[in-house]
Amino acid sequence: MKSKSLVLLTFLLCCSISLYSQKEGKIAGNVVDENGTPLIGVNVFEKGTTTGTVTDLNGDFELSVSNSEATLVFSYIGYLKKEIPLEGKQNIQVTLKQDLEELEEVVVIGYGTVKKEDLTGSVELVESDGIEKTPSFSTEQVLQGKASGVFVATSSGAPGAPISVRIRGVGTPNNADPLYVVDGMPIKDASFGKNDNPSGINFLNPSDIESIQVLKDASATAIYGTRGANGVVIITTKKGKTGEPRVNFNAYYSLQNLPQYARPDMLDAQQWAVLYNETHGETYDPDSIPYLKTTDWQDEVFRTAVTHNEQFNISGGNDNSKYFVSFNNFDQEGIVKKSSYNRISGRINTEFQINDWLKVGENFSVTNFVNRRQKETGLNAGGVVGSPIAAALMADPTASPYDEFGELAYIGEKTLATIANPIGIYERHHYIYKNNRIQGTAYAEISPIKNLTYKFNLGLDRSWGFRDEVWPEYSIAFDDASDMTTLTTENEDWYNYLIENTLNYNASIADKHNFDLLLGYTVQEETMYREVASSFLPFTLSNMLYHTARASNSDIITLAGAPEEWAIISYLGRLNYNYDGKYYLTSSIRRDGSSRFGKNKRWGVFPSVALAWKISEEPFFQNISTVSMLKLRGGWGLVGNQNIGTYRYTASTTYKPNPGLPGPIVFYGIPAEEYPAVVINGIANPNIGWESTETFNFGIDLALFENRIYSTIDLYNKTTTDLLLYEPVPWWAASGFLLEESGQPTNAGEISNKGIDFSLNYKNTIGDFSYNIGGNISLIKNEVIALNGGAPLTSDTKFPVKVIEGEPLGVFWGYKVEGIFKSDEEIEQHAVQENRTSIGDLKFKDINNDGEINSDDQTIIGYAIPDFTYGLNASVSYKNLELNIFVQGVQGNDVANRVKQSVLHNFRMTTNVSTDLLNYYGRVLENGQVITNTDIPKVSFPRDFNDNLRNSDYFLEDGSYLRIKTINLAYNIPENLYKRLGLYSCQIYATVENLYTFTKYSGYNPEIGASSSFGANPLAFGIDNATYPMPRTFLFGIKIGL
Amino acid sequence: MKYNIIKLVILLFVVGFSSCSEEILEKPLPPGKLSDVALYSTLDGQQHLLNTAIMSLCEFFDNTRHFPEAHLSLGSIRSDDAWSGTGVVDNWFAYDVNENEILSDNWYVSALYRSHYLSIRYCNLIVNNVHYATEANPDKESVAKIENLVAQAKSLRAYNYLCLARSFGDVVLILEDDVVKRPRDPVADVYTQIFKDLNDAISSNSLKKRSEQANEEIGQITLGAAYAFLTKTYMEYAAIDPGNANDYFTEAYNNAKALIGLNDYNLYSTYDQLWQFDSQFGMESIFEIGYPEPGVDYIQHHWWADWMRPLYIFKPGTWEYVGTDNYRGWGHNTPSQDFVNSFETGDPRLHWSVWFQGDSTAGLTNGDDLRRICFIASESGYYFRKTTPEKFYPTVKSFLGFKLVRYADMLLLGAEAANEIGETSDALAWLELVRARARNTPAPFDHESDVIAGMPGVVTTTNQAELRDIIRHERRVELGGEGERFYDLKRWDGTHGYDIRKILEDAGKIAGPDYENVTGFDNSGTAREPRTILFDYPDDLLLPIPQREIDINNGVIEQNNGF
């Protein structure tokens, strides 16, 4: 109806123009699209003038021009603008190319959408074709290296492991995870409750995702108010499209392994025995050494693992109803034996246009995953090593895994550190986490009058987690022996709902003033219940009979539960305005009230404003033909972060109300009975409020050569104030138990992140050959401007990370090494370290020049935050072949290599060590030569008097790396072949993931995100605690469309 | 039609809007979590705070704060009584105590400091928030109960400050629940507060005698404990203010006499009874941290007794060690040769205090076998026997109350004070109580021939100097390995020819002033490379303030000299 009147109007207009413009310099012409179809209503005008016309029903036009050398400009919505110099011609034939490029893309910006070309804020968009090109095991991985300003660190290669996503640096010492919004619903944040599944969106099947948008600057995220400070990741799942039902089937099979080059070189049996004899006294008979058999413990623990994935979906619809239904089975083995991840998910997305004013729809997914885990940390040369990964490095290479009876052997005789048999650890430790989750939204949209829409959106995110852990009776290590079987079960139950009401009105006045106004209010509430039960059975359990045992076992020793809840109420408004597609204004405001804060600070207001100027639309710009689009953007906004846990404004108590329930106790009486005690968790601070982040953003979007080159640059200055710090309290104010180190919450301090996000993309097609090269780089300068009272914060981690005023967040703290003492004179002249320091010990720098090396000589020795991160992507397609290469890296960060400290360069040699130590200082070789030209200090057994193993820059390494992340080759089976089979499309593909990593780093993997064992604490960034190595993946797959 | 829809939309929007009740933002604390004020208002709540103050001195619920180990390490391993035992590899903090290289990040130093301050915090919470309870419970019986809790809290706070002051010197005197960063207070001010708290507690007349305590109160602070704490404080203060020492000895003597006069406490008839499970909260315990009864399958951290039990115990008649069951300990705090030598010949306490190589336990509850103690990892070739009860409980870790103040300690401290002020007859009488009990103790079954009847003999000398030496010696052999020795040496240092450096040097614990090397032992029991353990006098008489406290207080707290 609308389009018909437009055509009629155009036609009349054309007629009138043709009637009244019979003048000199008259030009006639015809405009068609690439298929030769006439284009109706194309704007044609003479460049530099206001003279113009539109094409008629046949695509013809006539126009009077001022001179015969004029240039005509053709523009049409959905097509690329074209300029043609007349050069004296009087009749021209014009073909406009359809514009399928980014400019017309619609971007979801939260409670609405906007055309990408109309964006005023800084938003990254990753679309489904990009997601599907290379198969990803998880949704976060999709983002890695693809979007500037988005730093994704997969610190663990474990199946189902959490992946940390950081948007534009880290602005908080608290939870820095972005807010994930799935189909309009902010899903539960990982910090809520003790969470065995801390990754926010790994319940999603990556193939279900239509698009991911990352809102980066505050002018874009302010609409999410107190949850916007860490950036917002909006995920939209696929919708059905009008047309016949389509069935897509996609399956792949992959093999993963840990390539030899990525494994640290540990001593073999001969090397170990020789070095052991040298340093521990003669233990191995020298004559027998050549006959010792090496156990390669890494080979024992790692395997080639199989992953397979089957996925199909059916989609289709007509004008009134659309549907998308999918099913996915993803089954991944871990490269560490007995670790795996299996996810089964289904999704139904539908939408129905009931009548001309009512539309209803829903997007729901059901996911079940089962994650079998192996402990990852436990890198503890002094205590019990509970991780097969760490133990595999530490274990004695001369020890045999099995004894003469075929039983797991005790292998800790030589190593002294209490290392359990690595096989025993993974074989006997049973740890399964299961999760069932239903997440989705149902909505109704009512449009009573044109341009006004009321939307009611109901969201539900319900999940049940179940952990099942068994440490059976065993004695595979001296100090790790137990005659008890420990059973622990944990049940978690989350219930999160969202009610959202929005009113949207858009209008256009005089075709120049375009308004889009949004009003809304939402309520979201979440409750979590957790129950942990542990029992200890003083007898041996064979195999997995523990299920029966638990059922019959009434002897539950500990039972803990922790219900938690929180709620948020929000009022929001946004105005998008543009004048003639040239000048843009976006302004939003949100008022949030959150139960996580005390009454005094419960409500916060978060405003934003952004302006944009599309210069390329200005008449004076029309002469520049190379520039297809140029837009300047500037924005300001204020957002908050509420992720500080619940109930932190009050001092709660942990209490034991009666026997049988958990809690602190004391023993009195004869015979002694237990009586309840109580723990007061911190000191109340009812004034706890938001962390607020203020961002200024300036950006330029530039498209050149008919959008073949597309580039975006953003400069930002992001300042977070009122940091929610857990100021460590003196021990006289500590609660004393469990929570004590979390300290007193206060709003204090300031962190600044300044940075540049830059991306550049070039695409071109030459005949059958088309290619696309893109890259992005993100530079961040992070600085802690102020802390409460200036006192540095220190992490609880084994390698301390500090937060210090004037420094970036997360600096490593320790001693500086100046070399190795090579003579007594050197020791004499140097500041006093320890009175038993001797030749071959490390020389530490006397920072304060007081002639003594003590704890005051610790200083900043490294930085965990990289200078920049980057990603490069190239894809080439020729006829039926498509090749994608993706490279990604970080530059300029340090990693605290605790693997080196505890194992590889364990100078006490209480564990197996790296072959580097064959070169230790002072070693006398068989030929009598003494090693002095080395950086590696002497081996000091049993006591490292000089404490060479202290936290020093000796154990810091350059964490820069460049990784060939993905190489993907796809072949589209020629149409004549698959048509015969009755198929709609058919593709086979092969992928290599993590082919090679260029790095100087000596551990398994330089990509160290926030360690999973420390939650999302950004202070623990960049510490390698022997996390699960990143496997290399070879993958083969097929995609079939019906 | 269209207008109806508009009305509908407006209605929906407005209804939804008004249904946004702010009430949902009021989230009550979840079940199991009380607000602090609610807690202070009840008698039970106040009682639970006291329970926590006492619990702070054990390891429950926090495996990073092993107060009993720290207390023993720093009081025993630092003295001439003991070596750290094993721990070269797995327990560097104990080893550093052994080597007298105690750094400010030493785990035991932190554990000691932290546990006492935690206990102090909960004492402060009672003392400062008592008004909530009295307002809510104005009846006479409740008020009496609350007054008793306050007096207990003050007594315990005083004891904690005494332990801090004798270890660290100046400490932060904190009496409020506050996070304010504060510098250390002069040690004299700390003692003033200790005296005030204890005198307040005693004069309130609300502390119970042990004989008045109901069963569930046994383990809480008694009047006798307050007297004992006060006696200890005066003895400690006599060394700080030697010019007026006699005044403090008099006060100590008076308080010891008051304690003894209560007739609340008594010595077990034989020394070995003290070290059995059922001696917990027994008649000799003045202040003891209770542990679960053996046989109670209670899995928490409670391993102080394991900590100093022998590392290797072998099955009967074999050299097959029983390392995978619960007989095994960690083998820390091992007696020095000097300690073994210090016993009078024939004193039965020697073999009840010290395991010799090849000794066997007497038997088990289930009666099946003997266990042989063998040494691989002990530095000296000995272990303390005090945490290895005769009867093992095969499937459960052994539980043993942690005796912080016991009656014999107080008798000897009283005797010491009495002797200093010329009350010689009391001094002799109290000393004799301790020695007579030792004399009446039978030897362990495999050491019967080592005991001489009539030993240790009755002391009759009235010579003050002689008697002083005898009492001081008696404290060593009676209380060996129990964590008092270093503080005794520190207290006596510089008096009557006692020089802590010389004592430690003579015991082979430290090098002499000429840096002559001393010889220790390595893990296999053979001589180790000669080494030098230095004692930096007088700095090493105190411990370093834990580095964490200096760091988080942003330099407001200063470190002790020499650390």
Side-chain angles (χ1 to χ4, degrees), chain A residues 426-444:
Chain A
Y426 75 70
E427 281 285 347
R428 302 190 180 197
H429 179 210
H430 168 87
Y431 185 139
I432 282 185
Y433 180 75
K434 300 174 185 171
N435 190 290
N436 291 299
R437 187 162 178 172
I438 298 174
Q439 191 275 332
T441 52
Y443 56 91

Side-chain angles (χ1 to χ4, degrees), chain B residues 189-209:
Chain B
D189 293 357
V190 178
Y191 277 99
T192 306
Q193 182 65 38
I194 297 171
F195 290 130
K196 182 177 181 303
D197 271 346
L198 288 170
N199 285 320
D200 281 359
I202 292 168
S203 62
S204 74
N205 284 325
S206 53
L207 286 173
K208 289 190 179 177
K209 288 175 66 175

Side-chain angles (χ1 to χ4, degrees), chain B residues 531-544:
Chain B
R531 62 185 179 185
T532 311
I533 298 177
L534 301 175
F535 193 88
D536 190 4
Y537 187 87
D539 295 345
D540 283 349
L541 290 176
L542 294 177
L543 293 171

Side-chain angles (χ1 to χ4, degrees), chain B residues 358-369:
Chain B
D359 283 358
S360 296
T361 62
L364 301 162
T365 11
N366 54 4
D368 60 354
D369 51 12

